[in-house]
Amino acid sequence: MDPGDDLSTRVDELMDGLVADLVRLTAIASIAFPGFPPEPVRQAHDLLVDLLRGAGVEHIERLDLPDTAPVIIARVPPPEPGAPTVLLYGHYDVQPPGDASLWLSPPFEPTPVEGGLRARGIADDKANILVHLGVLRAFAGRPPVGLKIVLEGQEEYGSAFDDHPPTDPDRFACDAMVIADLGNIRPGSPTLTTGLRGAAEVVVEVRTLAEPRHSGGFGGAAPDALLALLKALATLHDVHGDVAVEGLRRDEWTGTAFTEDEFRSLAGVEEGVPLIGSGSLGERLWSGPAITVIGIDAPSVDQAASAVVPYARAKLNLRFHPAQDPRQAQALLVTHLESLRPFGIPLTVTPGDTGPGFEPATDGPAYRAARTALREGWGREVSSVASGGSIPLVNGLAEAAPNAEVLLFGAQDSRCNLHAPNERVLFSELRSAVIAEAAFLREYAKGYGSDGDGTGPGGSADPGTASTGSTASTFDGSAAPRTASTGSTASTPGGSPA
């Protein structure tokens, strides 16, 4: 793209083609969960390889890890020595559609809605992949920075790739990265996500009797396991609904947040039912903890017998401050539960999985460029929010490139219904996100190194090198294999190891 061209005009010219390719991609049921056919995942992979080639990308690798859908790693060399390298991330797998009867149209038949399209995975995360492709096309395959494009194929279910980048840091070395798996707090409001809460799971069990006993003959003295469990669970929150586990971090939220009416609508809160907790919604959702009972084992109402319950258990999901250590946060919940003796009955508490939160530094040149770029894309001032959800790979990428600035934005919005029926994306968000990402690359290239010695903040390695990772070959066979030390391979399109 000629630097003198109007970026928005160029993107407008590309929109029909981007939408057509988005339709092609979202028609593929690329669900990388056990029990679903693997062929659509491979089909989506192959389509994206073709689209990247068509956008001018010559260096494309396939990274295969054990029990993991293939990861596409493409690169565009920097246009000149000293130019920065930016990593662009997205994932091409999608959530299962769930109950098909709740969809207004078949989930893998992209269907027009007012201002956009409806399909499973169209917002999470295929529209964001089309943002990356749109940027490549806007620059005619020659962006003002070096690029590393990482498109994952098993993000929703989870895979070995979450922990892979730190084992192969040269392959992911960069000066800044755009994690395009998020979006705006509301349509038309440019938003940078500046925090991800961490997550942990805990199972609590109560066993009191060898077997059920008649509630008429034994109730009132025989210890009821379900009553004991419910009494323990009730201690996790105070009278307002705020988490009452000592030591879990909660800070004041100073960024943008939902209004209560917005949140009630998004959450589907029934009329007349109050929200729980006190303080701002930002604190309750993003900079403070949340504990949810996500499962409970107890007799069902329909199958209930008149008996004292001998055994009950619950699974708890803990979300915690982005900067709190995950094992510390989980241990605080475990300690709280183990200290309880409801009716004198001990609890068995078992810690489960943990995932760290993430809180990027936001005062560097990439963030300055991004704020300018998002204003250009959407024509409004930029908001900062956090996310109660987690993106496990972010921490792995940040560990692999510890000096790189991490930016989280994209073409989603809070009303896109990701992971829910009738997921949709708006064309206006797709267009603005392409303009914003392209403007970010332009602004970052202009400002890179201006605060220092010209080497840039990230000290990125040569994008073509890899030192500790898996073997790799380009799809056209032009690169020599590298020795694998982590058990993964990168291979040619036919699937045979390089």
Side-chain angles (χ1 to χ4, degrees), residues 39 49 52 88 92-93 169 172 189 208 260 262 269 315 318 360 372-373 388 408 427 436 447 466 494:
E39 291 80 12
V49 169
L52 286 167
L88 305 177
Y92 62 88
D93 64 308
F172 302 97
S189 297
T208 56
E260 182 168 328
E262 279 181 317
V269 180
K315 188 172 189 177
L318 167 65
T372 298
L408 299 102
F427 298 141

Side-chain angles (χ1 to χ4, degrees), residues 441-455:
L441 300 185
R442 182 196 67 210
E443 294 298 313
Y444 187 47
K446 288 195 302 186
Y448 181 78
S450 60
D451 296 334
D453 61 5
T455 60

